[in-house]
Amino acid sequence: MAAFENFKQQVNAAAKLAGLTEKEQTALEKPDRVLRADLEVVLDSGSKATFPAYRIQFNNARGPYKGGIRFHPEADEDEVSALAAMMMVKCAVVGIPFGGAKGGVTVDPKKLSVRERQALARAYVQAFSDHLGPDQDIPAPDVYTNPSVMAHMLDEYEIITGKSQPAMITGKPIALGGSLGRDTATADGAIAVLEALLEDERVDVAGLTAAVQGAGNAGAQAARRLAHLGTKVVALSDSSGTLQDESGLDVAALLEGKAQKKEFSAVGKVDAVDAVLSANADLFVPAALEEQLRIDTVDALRARYVLEIANGPTTPEADALLATRGVTVVPDVLANAGGVAVSYFEWVQGRTGDYWKKEVVEARLSEIMRKAYREVADFARERTVTLRAAAYALALKRVAEAMRERGRL
Ligand code: NAD
C-alpha cells in the first residue's frame, strides 16, 4: 500500500476515538505546503546531474515544522508526505512543541563522491532556504544523511542569511552545536518506554529474551542497552544475515566485529536475513526497514512484545492480526520518538546558547518518554484499544486543539 494511504487509514481508525468531526479529520490529512525543486549538481566528471527534491511541511499548529531529510533512490512525494505526517503525530505524542515536516532527494547517495554529496546538501538549502529557519522549519538527518550533511546545510544557510543560526537544523556535529546524547537518543527513548511498559505488566526486563532486526545507529544501541539491562539477546541481524544463540549473544563483541568487518556474515556464522523474525524471543525489535511484519511474515513471529524502532515496520493488516493474538506492539510514533525529543533539546540549546551535560539530556529524555507512555497506555486502557490507536488519537486531539485555538478549524 502507498505510504500516505497507510497514514490516512491510521487517522481514519483514530478519528472517532479522538472525537474529530469529518471536516477536522480532512484538515488533519492535508499537508500545509508541498515544496518541490530540481537540484542541479556539477559532478566530478564535469557534467551536470539533476535530482528531484521535496520538502513537505505538513502541519505547524503546535510549533515550527520539524523533520529529517533523506537521500534515497526511492524517495518520492508519497513517501515523504507520509513521513511528514508521521512527524506531526510523533511530536504531538511526546508533547514537544513542533509540527511535522519531512524532506527527501531522489538520489542514490552511494554513487556520489564526498564532494558531490556536499554540493547536493548545499543545493537543497539553496532551493528551500526561504522556508527553513529556527522559527519556521527545522530539518534533521534521516536515511543516508548524517551530521556531516547537516553541517553543510547549516553552513549554506548561514552564508545565505548572513547570521549564525545553529537552531535551524538538528543532528549537527557536536563541534557546531549538536547535542550530547543525540546519537543514542532513539534507542534510549525506546528502552525507556519498554521499561515503563514492563513495570506496568510487572515483568522483569532481565528475564526476557530479545531479537533485534537491524544493527545500524538505532538497532545497535538498542541491542547494547538490552544486553546491559540483562535481557538475553538471542538474535541480531543486519542485511547480511542473522546471528543467533539461544544462550545469549555477546552483543558488545559482535558489534565491535561488525564495526571492523562491516557485516555480521564476516563476524560469525549467520542464518538467513529473515531468521530474526522467527527467533524464539519474548521481544522483537524491528530497527531496520519498513513493512517487515506483513500478512505473509507475521505468522512466524513468536514474540509477546514488539518495540517498533523502525518507522512503519508493521502493515495495518499484520497489526490487526497481532492485536487479536494478544501481542503488545509499542508503535513507532511512540517508541522511536526519542530521536526527535533530543532534537528538540538541541534546538533549545542552540537558541539559548546554554549547552547541557549528557546526564541532563538523558534524564530529560527518560522523563518525556515515560510521561508519553503513561498518557498513551492510560488512554489505551480506558478505551480498550491498542497502543497505536491510542497514540494516534491522543496526537490528533492535540493537533486539532491547536488548530482550533488558532481558528484554523
Ligand atoms: P541505519 O541505516 O543506521 O541502520 C539500518 C540497519 O538495518 C543496518 O544495520 C542494515 O544492515 C540493516 N538492514 C537493512 N536491511 C535489513 C534487513 N533486510 N534485515 C535486517 N537488517 C537490515 O538506520 P537507523 O538510523 O538505525 O534507522 C533504522 C530504522 O529506525 C529506520 O526505519 C529509521 O527510519 C528508524 N528511525 C531511526 C532514528 C534514528 O535516530 N536513527 C529515529 C527514528 C526512526
Side-chain angles (χ1 to χ4, degrees):
M1 184 195 301
F4 194 69
E5 199 45 49
N6 201 335
F7 164 74
K8 287 201 344 198
Q9 261 198 28
Q10 303 287 5
V11 173
N12 199 34
K16 223 194 214 145
L17 271 176
L20 300 181
T21 63
E22 217 166 286
K23 187 172 147 249
E24 289 170 339
Q25 181 182 336
T26 309
L28 286 168
E29 289 174 351
K30 207 175 140 299
D32 287 346
R33 191 176 289 120
V34 176
L35 302 164
R36 297 183 197 87
D38 284 322
L39 307 184
E40 198 176 88
V41 172
V42 179
L43 301 177
D44 293 347
S45 63
S47 62
K48 284 183 184 162
T50 303
F51 303 100
Y54 308 91
R55 184 71 185 167
I56 300 197
Q57 299 182 322
F58 203 83
N59 188 293
N60 69 349
R62 299 184 61 262
Y65 298 108
K66 179 85 189 89
I69 298 170
R70 62 174 52 181
F71 288 175
H72 195 275
E74 277 152 36
D76 62 15
E77 195 175 318
D78 178 79
E79 179 188 74
V80 178
S81 301
L83 291 163
M86 215 183 224
M87 286 304 297
M88 167 188 80
V89 173
K90 214 180 277 190
C91 293
V93 168
V94 289
I96 55 176
F98 284 142
K102 202 82 178 189
V105 181
T106 316
V107 59
D108 183 352
K110 291 182 183 166
K111 293 193 178 142
L112 298 181
S113 69
V114 172
R115 190 203 63 78
E116 289 165 344
R117 209 173 317 150
Q118 178 173 161
L120 186 65
R122 290 184 184 276
Y124 189 93
V125 172
Q126 285 160 14
F128 300 125
S129 66
D130 281 354
H131 298 279
L132 302 175
D135 296 307
Q136 266 176 288
D137 184 352
I138 307 134
D142 194 67
V143 176
Y144 294 143
T145 55
N146 56 23
S148 164
V149 173
M150 299 304 108
H152 300 138
M153 289 185 167
L154 173 65
D155 192 59
E156 190 63 31
Y157 187 77
E158 293 186 340
I159 290 170
I160 293 169
T161 59
K163 287 189 254 184
S164 167
Q165 304 207 59
M168 70 79 49
I169 206 158
T170 62
K172 301 179 286 292
I174 302 289
L176 299 185
S179 179
L180 295 174
R182 175 64 187 84
D183 48 347
T184 56
T186 299
D188 290 351
I191 299 294
V193 171
L194 176 71
E195 287 184 296
L197 165 77
L198 295 177
E199 280 164 25
D200 265 5
E201 304 209 341
R202 295 193 172 73
V203 170
D204 181 8
V205 66
L208 291 183
T209 51
V212 180
Q213 182 187 43
N217 292 328
Q221 174 67 4
R224 239 182 243 119
R225 293 272 284 118
L226 285 168
H228 183 72
L229 291 170
T231 304
K232 212 187 275 176
V233 179
V234 295
L236 179 59
S237 71
D238 69 4
S239 53
S240 75
T242 303
L243 292 161
Q244 298 201 73
D245 186 344
E246 284 203 359
S247 56
L249 296 163
D250 183 344
V251 171
L254 294 169
L255 291 173
E256 179 57 38
K258 181 172 161 78
Q260 283 169 16
K261 299 185 177 164
K262 302 266 182 271
E263 291 188 334
F264 283 145
S265 59
V267 176
K269 183 189 151 297
V270 290
D271 296 318
V273 169
D274 284 347
V276 70
L277 284 166
S278 53
N280 189 9
D282 304 306
L283 167 69
F284 177 61
V285 184
L289 307 169
E290 56 285 340
E291 302 201 346
Q292 293 302 293
L293 294 174
R294 303 179 300 269
I295 219 78
D296 59 315
T297 61
V298 74
D299 277 346
L301 191 81
R302 290 153 85 177
R304 278 186 288 152
Y305 301 101
V306 175
L307 183 65
E308 291 186 343
I309 288 186
N311 279 315
T314 311
T315 65
E317 298 76 18
D319 201 35
L321 258 182
L322 289 172
T324 57
R325 272 169 46 185
V327 176
T328 302
V329 179
V330 185
D332 46 10
V333 288
L334 171 63
N336 72 27
V340 74
V342 174
S343 277
Y344 163 58
F345 299 162
E346 182 176 336
W347 177 77
V348 170
Q349 292 171 74
R351 291 176 73 106
T352 58
D354 176 19
Y355 289 89
W356 308 352
K357 284 192 230 161
K358 194 167 181 202
E359 300 79 65
V360 175
V361 172
E362 286 172 352
R364 293 196 65 173
L365 172 64
S366 171
E367 191 184 321
I368 282 193
M369 298 306 292
R370 280 178 169 269
K371 178 169 178 281
Y373 165 75
R374 184 75 278 134
E375 289 165 350
V376 171
D378 287 350
F379 189 97
R381 191 164 310 126
E382 278 159 26
R383 311 293 284 269
T384 330
V385 293
T386 62
L387 293 174
R388 191 186 313 278
Y392 268 81
L394 272 180
L396 296 179
K397 260 166 98 99
R398 288 171 183 166
V399 179
E401 185 188 350
M403 289 178 78
R404 252 181 250 117
E405 293 284 8
R406 288 172 182 276
R408 290 192 197 167
L409 277 180

